[in-house]
Amino acid sequence: MKRLIVATVATLATLVSLPAAAQFQKPEDAIKYRQSAFTVMANHLGRVGAMANGRAPFDAKAAADNAAIVVTMSKLPWVAFGEGTDKGLPTRAKPEVWKDSAKVKDLAGKMMAEAEKFEVAAKGGNLDTIKAAVGELGKACKACHDDYRAEKYSSN
Ligand code: ASC
């Protein structure tokens, strides 16, 4: 019991004292984390995208719920692009991500802002407005992918 308490306190102390960027024990943990966040974000955006292009019936409540998830997820990947996380698992993040970090930060900020606007649109319940917001958010995703995401996964 005492050992468990010591171990728990030690773990908590590490979590509290490390900066956010150091919350990952290994580069592969960071890569897995950011890929997971993007995967979940894309999935929930895709559900509304399907309503926007008529592949799924429009469901205003589901659109708003999915948009809220997109906003939450949009905030998560960035901390997992710390120094040294360019390698460790196959990744599509180009080396330029770490060279142009100010640009990437700017693009990430724009994407998060479009995600917020998308949520406002989704809560409004008007399909045409939602379609436009999905389009703008998609453009903000693409703006980063164009320069910073490779076609293929690295083999490291
Ligand atoms: C999505 C998704 C992306 C972006 C991108 C926009 O729904 O999964 O990666 O939008 O395709 O061009």
Side-chain angles (χ1 to χ4, degrees):
M1 189 61 193
K2 195 176 166 201
R3 254 207 274 171
L4 178 62
I5 292 169
V6 170
T8 305
V9 170
T11 305
L12 289 175
T14 308
L15 290 176
V16 170
S17 62
L18 291 179
Q23 295 286 346
F24 304 102
Q25 299 210 327
K26 306 186 286 293
E28 64 194 82
D29 295 343
I31 295 172
K32 212 183 287 179
Y33 179 93
R34 71 194 186 215
Q35 290 177 342
S36 302
F38 285 127
T39 297
V40 174
M41 176 167 54
N43 181 288
H44 289 274
L45 175 57
R47 296 181 202 202
V48 186
M51 296 179 202
N53 65 28
R55 276 179 293 143
F58 179 48
D59 175 338
K61 166 86 167 66
D65 290 348
N66 282 306
I69 296 170
V70 169
V71 168
T72 298
M73 301 316 294
S74 74
K75 298 172 183 169
L76 303 184
W78 318 112
V79 73
F81 282 97
E83 283 303 321
T85 63
D86 54 330
K87 289 187 177 69
L89 275 184
T91 172
R92 291 170 72 188
K94 290 184 179 175
E96 285 76 12
V97 167
W98 290 270
K99 289 181 195 140
D100 306 346
S101 52
K103 272 197 201 167
V104 172
K105 201 172 174 189
D106 180 58
L107 291 168
K110 287 180 176 155
M111 187 280 276
M112 289 187 273
E114 291 301 339
E116 302 265 8
K117 291 187 205 168
F118 163 60
E119 187 185 9
V120 172
K123 282 183 176 162
N126 179 286
L127 185 57
D128 286 329
T129 310
I130 294 170
K131 278 184 196 173
V134 168
E136 290 306 312
L137 177 52
K139 277 191 222 164
C141 297
K142 186 175 182 297
C144 200
H145 296 164
D146 283 348
D147 289 335
Y148 299 104
R149 186 178 71 168
E151 279 301 311
K152 289 185 181 168
Y153 284 90
S154 68
S155 54
N156 66 61

